[in-house]
Amino acid sequence: MISSTSTMQHLLLLLLILTTQHFIPSLSEKCNPHDKKALLQIKKELGNPTQLSSWNPTTDCCERDKWLGILCDIHIETYRVNTLDLSDLDLPEPLPIPPSIFTNLPFLHDLTFNHIPNLVGPIPPSIANLTKLQYLFIMRTNISGEIPNTLSQIKTLIGIILYYNKLTGTLPDTLPSLPNLEEIAFVHNQLTGSIPESYGTFSNSFTALSLSRNRLSGKIPASLAKLNLLYVDLSRNALEGDASVFFGSKKRIEYIILGNNSFAFDLGKVRLPKNLKRLDLRNNKIYGTLPKELMKLKHLSKLNVSNNNLCGEIPVGGKLQRFDKSCYAHNRCLCGFPLRPCKT
C-alpha cells in the first residue's frame, strides 16, 4: 500500500516537471545552446523582423526547415550552425549588420544577406573572425563603405559575391592571397580606382572575375594575362587599354564581357578560345578586323561588337550571319551581311 507521504512526493515531482518543462531544453535538441543564444541575439539586433518569427526559443534551431535560413552541420554531427541566410527581411528601421554574427557564430560556412533595403553601414573588419567562412553573399542591400581588407585573412573563402549595394573605395589588393578563392563578383556598386596588378596572381582555382557597373578606371594590368578564367565581366566602367589579355587559343574562358569601356586593341590579332560562348565588346575603341576564327566557334551564342572602330568584311560562315545587324552596327568600316555589302 502506497503511503500518503509517498503519494505527495510523486505529486510534487509531477508538478515540478510540469512547471519547468518550458524552461529546460529537450534532451533530444541538437542545436548548440551557444548558437541558439547567438541567433536570438541576432534577431534582436535586426529589430525582431516578422520574417524571423520561426526563430522560437522553445524549438530546435537544427531541426530542418524549422528556423528560416538556418542550417546546421549534420554530416559530422557537430550540429553547429554553418549556414545563415538572411533574405527578404523587412527591418523596422535602418540597421547595421548584426555584430553578434562575427563574434558568436564561429562555425559559419555560408553567410547571405539578400534583398534587405534597410540593411546599412559597412562590412565590419571583424568579419575576419569567421575563420571557416567559404561563401559570402551580400546582395541588394544599402551596405556602404569599403570592402574590408580583412577578408584576405579568411583563408577558407571560395566565393565573395557583393551585388547591387553601395560599396565605395578601391578593390582590395590582398584578395589574391586567398588560396581557395574561385570567384569575386562586385557588381553594381560605386567602386573606384584601377584593377590591382596583384589580380594577375590569383590561384589556378580562380575562375570568375565580375566587376561590372562600377566606376573603375585606368588600364588593364598586363599581369591579368596569367589568369585562366571561365568568366570575365568588366562592362560599364571607365577602363581602358589592352583587354586582349583575356583572349588566347589555349584558354578555357567561355564568357568575355567588356562592353561600355574605352578599351583599344587590334581584335584581328587575338586568338580566340575554342569554347567561347559569349563575346560582348560593344561601345569601346577596338579596331582591326573580325577574326576568321569566329566562324569556327561551335558554342558561340551571343556576339556584340557594335560601336567600335572595326573594319573589313564580316567572315562568312559559322553562326556569324545569324546575329542581328545591331550586333555589328556603328563601326568605322565593317561590312558584309547582315550589314551593307562590301565594296568590290
Side-chain angles (χ1 to χ4, degrees):
M1 182 175 181
I2 301 174
S3 68
S4 59
T5 301
S6 178
T7 301
M8 183 62 68
Q9 289 174 341
H10 280 85
L11 288 173
L12 288 173
L13 178 61
L14 178 61
L15 181 62
L16 179 65
I17 292 171
L18 290 174
T19 55
T20 59
Q21 65 178 351
H22 296 294
F23 305 100
I24 299 176
S26 168
L27 293 176
S28 63
E29 182 169 335
K30 296 171 181 176
C31 182
N32 183 280
H34 297 290
D35 290 352
K36 175 180 273 193
K37 182 179 179 181
L39 291 171
L40 294 173
Q41 179 62 26
I42 290 165
K43 178 181 178 182
K44 182 179 179 181
E45 291 170 357
L46 289 170
N48 296 303
T50 56
Q51 291 83 358
L52 297 184
S53 59
S54 62
W55 291 19
N56 187 326
T58 65
T59 59
D60 187 348
C61 76
C62 285
E63 186 177 343
R64 192 164 185 84
D65 299 326
K66 200 73 172 182
W67 284 41
L68 182 69
I70 302 300
L71 290 176
C72 299
D73 191 343
I74 61 174
H75 300 295
I76 57 175
E77 297 186 352
T78 62
Y79 296 104
R80 301 303 298 262
V81 171
N82 65 10
T83 298
L84 176 59
D85 184 349
L86 298 172
S87 298
D88 302 302
L89 300 185
D90 185 16
L91 304 186
E93 59 182 318
L95 292 168
I97 296 175
S100 293
I101 294 174
F102 309 118
T103 55
N104 298 319
L105 290 178
F107 287 83
L108 277 185
H109 290 178
D110 298 76
L111 176 60
T112 298
F113 303 96
N114 182 31
H115 198 250
I116 312 177
N118 260 353
L119 193 67
V120 299
I123 303 171
S126 57
I127 193 171
N129 293 335
L130 301 179
T131 58
K132 300 181 185 297
L133 193 66
Q134 295 179 358
Y135 294 95
L136 173 65
F137 296 87
I138 302 179
M139 304 173 293
R140 295 177 176 85
T141 76
N142 278 301
I143 290 295
S144 59
E146 297 188 358
I147 301 171
N149 266 308
T150 53
L151 283 173
S152 62
Q153 298 175 24
I154 310 174
K155 300 304 180 183
T156 50
L157 274 172
I158 297 173
I160 309 171
I161 315 300
L162 308 176
Y163 272 21
Y164 291 84
N165 301 292
K166 292 185 177 179
L167 295 166
T168 56
T170 57
L171 296 169
D173 61 2
T174 54
L175 293 180
S177 67
L178 294 170
N180 302 306
L181 195 63
E182 296 179 2
E183 175 182 7
I184 59 173
F186 303 155
V187 176
H188 207 299
N189 286 282
Q190 300 167 22
L191 301 173
T192 56
S194 59
I195 298 175
E197 187 77 25
S198 63
Y199 278 30
T201 63
F202 280 109
S203 70
N204 290 333
S205 61
F206 189 72
T207 60
L209 176 66
S210 188
L211 305 173
S212 66
R213 295 175 181 267
N214 281 287
R215 300 171 185 174
L216 299 174
S217 59
K219 293 185 176 182
I220 293 289
S223 63
L224 297 192
K226 301 174 186 176
L227 299 178
N228 195 6
L229 303 170
L230 286 172
Y231 182 100
V232 61
D233 184 356
L234 305 181
S235 60
R236 297 181 183 274
N237 282 288
L239 294 163
E240 56 186 354
D242 186 358
S244 66
V245 294
F246 297 112
F247 295 83
S249 59
K250 296 183 179 180
K251 291 197 173 184
R252 58 182 175 176
I253 197 161
E254 298 177 358
Y255 298 85
I256 300 177
I257 306 169
L258 305 175
N260 295 282
N261 282 285
S262 293
F263 293 127
F265 59 93
D266 188 341
L267 185 60
K269 293 183 178 180
V270 303
R271 300 299 303 275
L272 298 178
K274 62 181 179 180
N275 293 320
L276 195 61
K277 296 178 180 178
R278 180 178 177 184
L279 179 61
D280 187 346
L281 304 176
R282 73 184 83 178
N283 299 314
N284 279 287
K285 299 177 181 179
I286 299 167
Y287 53 91
T289 59
L290 289 178
K292 291 185 178 180
E293 290 175 342
L294 281 169
M295 298 184 299
K296 301 177 183 179
L297 298 180
K298 298 178 181 179
H299 306 292
L300 188 66
S301 60
K302 291 187 178 181
L303 172 70
N304 197 322
V305 295
S306 62
N307 291 282
N308 279 288
N309 296 317
L310 296 170
C311 275
E313 184 175 8
I314 298 172
V316 177
K319 300 180 179 180
L320 297 186
Q321 276 64 49
R322 300 180 189 178
F323 298 113
D324 187 81
K325 64 180 180 180
S326 63
C327 299
Y328 301 104
H330 305 293
N331 275 284
R332 189 159 63 91
C333 47
L334 200 60
C335 60
F337 191 82
L339 299 180
R340 68 187 186 280
C342 296
K343 295 179 180 180
T344 56

